[in-house]
Amino acid sequence: MPNISSNLAGIRSPNPFWLASAPPTNSGYQVMKAFDAGWGGAVWKTLGVPIINTSSRYGAINYRSSRMVGFNNIELITDRTLADNLREIEEVKKYFPEHAVIASLMVESRAEWHQIVKDVENAGADGVELNFGCPHGMCERGMGSAVGQEPSVLETITRWVKEVAKVPVIVKLTPNITDITEPAAAAARGGADAISLINTIQSLMGVDLDTFVPTPMVDGKSTNGGYCGPAVKPIALNMVKNCAQDPDVRIPISGIGGIENWRDAVEHMLLGASNVQVCTAVMHYGFGIIREMIPGLENFMREKGFEKLDDFIGKALPNVKTWENLNLKYKVIADISAEKCIGCQLCYTACEDGAHQAIALPKNGNRVPEIIEGNCVGCNLCSLVCPVEECITMVRKDDGKKHESWKDYMAADKAPTTFNDDRAGGKGHWVPEPAAALKR
Amino acid sequence: MPEFKQPTTEQDLELAFEQLKPYMNPTMAYYESSRCLFCYDAPCVTACPTGIDIPLFIRQINTGNVDGAAKTIYDSNYFGNICGKVCPTEVLCEGACVYNHQDVKPIEIGRLQSYATSQVIEKEKRLYHPAPPNGKKVAVIGAGPAGISCACELRLMGYEVTIFEAKKHPSGLAIYGCAPYKVTNEDVLDEIVWLQEQFGFEILYNHPIHSAEQIKSLEAYFDAIFLGIGLGATRPMSIPGENLENCYGATEYIEQVKISPLKVRVGKKVVVIGGGNTAMDAASESARLGAEEVTLAYRRSKEEMGAYEFEYELAKGVGVKGIFNAVPTAILGNGQVEGVRFIKTNSENGRVITVPGSEFELPCDAVILATGQEKKTGFLSLIEGLEWNKDGSIKVNVETFQTTNPKYFAGGDAVNGGAEVVNAAAEGKMAARGINSIMA
């Protein structure tokens, strides 16, 4: 049986699945219920000076019959008193000493930071997470993402915390920034033991077409909220990777963003996350999803021969390069399986209208389209729109012996340099005459 | 014990004739429309005799534009709701759905179509306005699907249209023939009322046209005449006993079931002669009206039946038994039907050969002959210069639906020999365009 116990910068938990600081960790009751269900850790709903929330707080994007593929909230940090939260942290730790309880914190002055760190440590917290990510409400008051967007301020506050903290300190980053590695490196400079990312993305979920008010609506008005859920995973993965590869960061990462099942978690970890945090999926389906996540992870590790989490954390990192290092001699071409094709011709119209006019309709009366090999640039679009698994595959056509990247092209003066350079990549690629579009 | 008992109340009838394609609720329609792939050059459209842009109306349903969806449907087929319910979608649009090639349930196109159209009918949405009068007048004989479709299309082009209907209800076989578990009379009549409100054509009920004088006066008053006269009574088999009480023609029997179902006294043991869709309907309806034993007898093999496979399955589903390769030689009885004498057959090269000495008798107390309908050649002979084919179907130009008498156009069963509502709807519409192409 693979060992899935987790260690993030010294914070141990029976498994790498933590609840992110959010509504599911609002109370000791919820955290206790989650641990009982199998979650390994929980980052408590951010503590600080209690706030007052609006009524109507969440918005969602549904895609066809899938609900909540994207989700946002305008809720703030805890609206409960610190004393109540501390008492409940203490109680949870009594029942679950082996589970990780991390106190998410957000206050303003150095004195407040010192005080609250001591308070949560006394209550038994295994670590603290500094909330420099919240992109709505709190940032208007100079906290949350307002800190995460100012690396120097972030670094200073991290130092304040480190002045007193006896438990590991995690800095939670906002993705609402041009380059995530800057605040990540600032956290490392400030002495943070780990970073966690991503917090939510600033967003408006949509607009009601009758009232002209965006959602979520509060008495006829709305405000930007924080976007999360399955739709944000690709953004999160990229930022996790950026931090994991940055030589100025070099501290463990807790991956957050779009994690709903074991697969999502493994992807975060392959790109450098030591553990993961989950919120939206629990808000959608409840704590019970952990029943799928743990055995799914264990099965993956068994199948791949991994004995512990460290065996695969960061394993995909060597496979992410800058664009200029990709092999321009690698050639794939689409191949349509006539046997599997159901004849929807979505590949045809996608390629015809959205790509390179490299798919022809059959003339023999059947509905299986044909690839025009000379026009196919190997973009994958057809294989992505095809509704049949493995019907359109991308087949390698080069012999695998040549490797020349953009970098190599530039070094060898093989890259186009003027507007009408004959070395243009599309030179010689057949494009229909414009007027051909109007012939029916 | 039979599954159904003789219905005595409206509630009994509702159970006996429970709708095969009940209306979807908005959630069902949303989920189902979400599944549509939006195929390029979609096979469902090609399979539809009226060429409805099915992927478009499904997409419109999915985006909450139900009026737009209904408009897309009615633009191609004025019998949108009725066809959604009574079309043999299994062999038309839904049979062509590419999901079939993936062994995935095809999109329920018929039900989605009825979902959209029934809503504009119920809400009395105005989708069409007739063109200003062009000063030309057309008489339509027969208020069936062909005649009404022709009238709608003509009104859009500014023609004044008067429909002469022999019976007291519009829609022809939609109300007098379509299986009651496929569509209710209420639904049929609601759609016709809606069409009449949209297009403003006149229907004169109980107005049979059967004399040369009437024809002369129509010809004098109208610029063109459309014949949507359908087929005649059940064709006799010319065997002894056909005139016994309780021996019915299927068309006449079904008409009674449709118009006064509570008055139909179905036999305990019913024999239905024939292998077409009408035979299946008559057998199913008898079983649903409480017949204890319904036997379908066809002179050829099961595989040679003209009925759609799913129609036979439907009949079998309500307990109908089939006997094949048996042709009736006499209906037995004295005043009342007491049985049918059959002789066994072999089919050789499409010909039916009786097997000498293989006679057998099947006791029963009702016989329904579903052996085809007569053509109305007697009526047609009143029209000067109008020609028909050997089988009695009216000769028309395949593009304009103009007959050999240039003043007359025709469509529907009288031309195609007896097909679906959707075929008649398509032909009526095309004939209207034919009229306009010649008269404009």
Side-chain angles (χ1 to χ4, degrees):
Chain A
M1 182 65 96
N3 178 1
I4 61 166
S5 67
S6 165
N7 182 347
L8 179 89
I11 306 172
R12 294 176 188 282
S13 57
N15 62 56
F17 301 112
W18 290 8
L19 293 170
S21 173
T25 58
N26 191 49
S27 66
Y29 168 81
Q30 287 164 290
V31 173
M32 202 96 108
K33 197 175 171 192
F35 287 170
D36 188 46
W39 290 85
V43 185
W44 211 273
K45 172 93 177 165
T46 303
L47 308 176
V49 177
I51 54 74
I52 297 166
N53 270 314
T54 58
S55 178
S56 175
R57 303 177 194 178
Y58 306 138
I61 284 189
N62 304 326
Y63 183 74
R64 296 198 162 185
S65 50
S66 295
R67 298 192 73 81
M68 270 172 65
V69 296
F71 184 74
N72 98 340
N73 81 90
I74 57 169
E75 193 174 285
L76 306 181
I77 65 171
T78 189
D79 60 1
R80 308 175 66 216
T81 64
L82 185 62
D84 284 344
N85 281 302
L86 294 175
R87 193 185 65 246
E88 291 179 11
I89 290 174
E90 206 173 331
E91 194 177 344
V92 171
K93 279 306 290 185
K94 264 185 213 152
Y95 278 90
F96 292 95
E98 304 301 316
H99 287 60
V101 174
I102 286 73
S104 173
L105 307 175
M106 187 194 288
V107 288
E108 288 182 272
S109 69
R110 183 177 176 196
E112 282 176 324
W113 280 107
H114 283 181
Q115 184 60 49
I116 202 164
V117 168
K118 284 176 194 160
D119 286 345
V120 298
E121 282 179 350
N122 286 338
D126 301 292
V128 292
E129 186 182 78
L130 316 187
N131 182 343
F132 298 152
C134 179
H136 46 88
M138 301 311 289
C139 54
E140 295 171 14
R141 306 172 196 178
M143 293 182 272
S145 65
V147 175
Q149 288 166 338
E150 290 291 347
S152 60
V153 178
L154 181 152
E155 185 180 335
T156 303
I157 297 178
T158 307
R159 274 187 216 288
W160 292 349
V161 171
K162 286 298 288 185
E163 285 164 5
V164 296
K166 298 193 187 78
V167 294
V169 175
I170 307 167
V171 168
K172 186 166 181 179
L173 301 178
T174 176
N176 299 292
I177 188 162
T178 312
D179 181 356
I180 193 74
T181 63
E182 286 195 24
R189 284 195 303 277
D193 300 286
I195 48 174
S196 56
L197 67 156
I198 58 174
N199 203 310
T200 55
I201 304 166
Q202 276 203 337
S203 56
L204 281 179
M205 291 313 275
V207 183
D208 185 304
L209 298 186
D210 296 316
T211 61
F212 311 125
V213 181
T215 51
M217 186 272 279
V218 180
D219 192 20
K221 298 286 182 271
S222 188
T223 189
N224 68 273
Y227 191 44
C228 54
V232 310
K233 187 179 80 174
I235 298 168
L237 290 178
N238 184 53
M239 291 191 168
V240 166
K241 179 272 298 178
N242 285 345
C243 291
Q245 285 185 333
D246 193 291
D248 294 332
V249 179
R250 298 277 178 225
I251 49 175
I253 298 168
S254 184
I256 311 169
I259 298 163
E260 177 165 303
N261 56 41
W262 71 270
R263 287 178 173 277
D264 304 322
V266 168
E267 288 177 79
H268 265 265
M269 293 169 82
L270 287 170
L271 286 168
S274 294
N275 75 355
V276 295
Q277 300 184 27
V278 178
C279 166
T280 312
V282 163
M283 292 182 73
H284 195 167
Y285 301 110
F287 297 127
I289 58 169
I290 194 67
R291 299 200 308 272
E292 176 277 328
M293 300 176 93
I294 290 175
L297 173 65
E298 286 172 341
N299 186 55
F300 166 77
M301 290 174 68
R302 250 194 314 271
E303 280 188 359
K304 301 290 180 191
F306 298 136
E307 286 166 8
K308 52 190 191 308
L309 301 179
D310 281 337
D311 290 351
F312 68 92
I313 289 171
K315 211 171 170 54
L317 287 172
N319 298 328
V320 193
K321 299 283 185 196
T322 50
W323 194 96
E324 64 173 5
N325 283 302
L326 298 178
N327 183 10
L328 294 172
K329 293 296 175 192
Y330 176 74
K331 279 283 169 255
V332 289
I333 276 182
D335 180 73
I336 301 174
S337 160
E339 204 177 304
K340 290 182 180 156
C341 176
I342 59 171
C344 69
Q345 299 184 346
L346 285 175
C347 59
Y348 165 76
T349 197
C351 186
E352 176 72 13
D353 295 357
H356 293 86
Q357 302 82 44
I359 298 182
L361 291 179
K363 294 193 179 70
N364 58 3
N366 79 31
R367 287 189 54 91
V368 183
E370 292 158 9
I371 303 293
I372 305 166
E373 291 206 4
N375 271 14
C376 179
V377 300
C379 73
N380 296 348
L381 180 61
C382 56
S383 70
L384 298 176
V385 300
C386 179
V388 184
E389 277 302 310
E390 291 180 2
C391 171
I392 303 185
T393 46
M394 303 307 292
V395 180
R396 186 164 188 175
K397 291 290 178 180
D398 69 304
D399 60 10
K401 288 177 185 157
K402 281 191 194 151
H403 187 290
E404 273 186 283
S405 65
W406 177 253
K407 220 180 190 173
D408 300 328
Y409 269 50
M410 290 296 281
D413 192 25
K414 285 170 72 177
T417 50
T418 59
F419 288 142
N420 296 308
D421 200 312
D422 264 352
R423 293 169 295 185
K427 189 84 184 172
H429 180 83
W430 175 77
V431 175
E433 287 302 316
L438 305 179
K439 283 182 191 155
R440 301 259 166 101
Chain B
M1 273 299 284
E3 190 182 341
F4 296 95
K5 63 178 175 70
Q6 168 99 40
T8 54
T9 64
E10 289 295 328
Q11 284 80 357
D12 289 349
L13 272 180
E14 262 179 46
L15 275 178
F17 296 151
E18 192 185 346
Q19 294 295 294
L20 291 178
K21 293 182 180 175
Y23 286 114
M24 286 179 164
N25 63 38
T27 310
M28 292 163 82
Y30 181 69
Y31 281 15
E32 189 62 6
S33 61
S34 291
R35 295 203 304 127
C36 177
L37 295 171
F38 202 71
C39 292
Y40 179 81
D41 185 20
C44 52
V45 180
T46 315
C48 175
T50 59
I52 297 171
D53 191 341
I54 294 163
L56 176 61
F57 90 67
I58 292 179
R59 204 172 173 84
Q60 288 171 312
I61 289 174
N62 196 251
T63 60
N65 182 5
V66 176
D67 291 359
K71 179 80 166 42
T72 301
I73 295 160
Y74 283 119
D75 278 349
S76 292
N77 182 349
Y78 295 116
F79 279 58
N81 189 25
I82 294 170
C83 281
K85 287 173 159 287
V86 308
C87 261
T89 52
E90 292 86 343
V91 297
L92 297 174
C93 51
E94 292 174 22
C97 178
V98 297
Y99 272 134
N100 290 298
H101 301 299
Q102 215 173 356
D103 293 329
V104 170
K105 191 172 78 78
I107 304 289
E108 290 190 67
I109 298 168
R111 290 183 73 196
L112 285 170
Q113 181 167 316
S114 291
Y115 170 78
T117 49
S118 64
Q119 289 196 42
V120 296
I121 295 170
E122 195 189 323
K123 293 174 186 159
E124 298 178 22
K125 285 274 167 86
R126 186 85 199 226
L127 301 184
Y128 294 93
H129 296 274
N134 65 4
K136 296 189 171 113
K137 299 185 288 289
V138 178
V140 169
I141 304 182
I148 288 178
S149 296
C150 184
C152 292
E153 189 77 2
L154 287 169
R155 291 291 299 139
L156 272 190
M157 299 183 284
Y159 291 83
E160 189 185 311
V161 182
T162 309
I163 306 181
F164 297 88
E165 169 55 46
K167 296 190 170 169
K168 65 175 186 180
H169 296 298
S171 85
L173 286 181
I175 195 158
Y176 291 108
C178 287
Y181 38 86
K182 290 182 182 166
V183 68
T184 65
N185 290 352
E186 196 186 357
D187 282 334
V188 169
L189 295 175
D190 284 350
E191 186 159 52
I192 306 300
V193 167
W194 182 82
L195 288 173
Q196 241 182 316
E197 279 166 6
Q198 305 282 315
F199 296 99
F201 48 83
E202 189 185 10
I203 306 180
L204 301 175
Y205 294 107
N206 304 309
H207 250 79
I209 304 295
H210 45 53
S211 71
E213 291 72 38
Q214 283 175 305
I215 286 170
K216 282 281 168 278
S217 64
L218 289 184
E219 288 173 356
Y221 184 77
F222 292 98
D223 298 293
I225 298 167
F226 174 79
L227 302 173
I229 56 175
L231 301 172
T234 302
R235 188 188 305 125
M237 287 192 77
S238 309
I239 54 172
E242 269 185 284
N243 49 3
L244 288 171
E245 224 178 291
N246 303 350
C247 176
Y248 314 102
T251 316
E252 294 73 22
Y253 175 78
I254 290 171
E255 183 169 327
Q256 246 215 302
V257 170
K258 290 282 294 186
I259 299 304
S260 42
L262 292 175
K263 288 188 189 150
V264 174
R265 287 290 163 262
V266 67
K268 279 186 180 168
K269 291 184 173 185
V270 178
V271 171
V272 179
I273 312 285
N277 292 320
T278 307
M280 304 302 138
D281 282 354
S284 278
E285 287 162 30
S286 301
R288 287 165 189 267
L289 287 173
E292 286 170 14
E293 238 180 81
V294 181
T295 309
L296 195 72
Y298 181 51
R299 64 201 168 113
R300 297 172 195 263
S301 69
K302 189 162 82 178
E303 293 69 34
E304 289 168 287
M305 280 200 299
Y308 298 123
E309 204 179 316
F310 68 87
E311 294 284 10
Y312 181 51
E313 291 299 320
L314 265 183
K316 281 201 297 186
V318 289
V320 172
K321 301 270 183 294
I323 60 171
F324 300 95
N325 286 113
V327 67
T329 54
I331 318 278
L332 310 171
N334 190 1
Q336 300 270 336
V337 167
E338 286 164 17
V340 182
R341 181 179 298 136
F342 289 97
I343 186 163
K344 291 185 179 172
T345 68
N346 285 317
S347 357
E348 281 172 21
N349 301 326
R351 289 184 57 202
V352 176
I353 313 284
T354 53
V355 180
S358 68
E359 286 90 347
F360 67 97
E361 288 177 11
L362 199 62
C364 64
D365 50 18
V367 171
I368 302 171
L369 302 178
T371 47
Q373 286 169 262
E374 290 185 318
K375 304 292 191 308
K376 293 180 169 169
T377 48
F379 169 75
L380 296 179
S381 63
L382 300 175
I383 301 168
E384 206 180 317
L386 193 111
E387 292 173 20
W388 54 88
N389 298 304
K390 224 184 267 174
D391 67 354
S393 58
I394 303 171
K395 278 189 188 172
V396 294
N397 175 304
V398 292
E399 275 162 24
T400 60
F401 288 81
Q402 191 173 31
T403 68
T404 50
N405 177 328
K407 199 174 180 88
Y408 285 83
F409 294 75
D413 283 357
V415 168
N416 62 35
E420 305 294 339
V421 171
V422 66
N423 302 99
E427 291 170 19
K429 186 180 172 82
M430 287 190 284
R433 292 182 185 174
I435 291 169
N436 188 55
S437 72
I438 281 154
M439 292 183 55

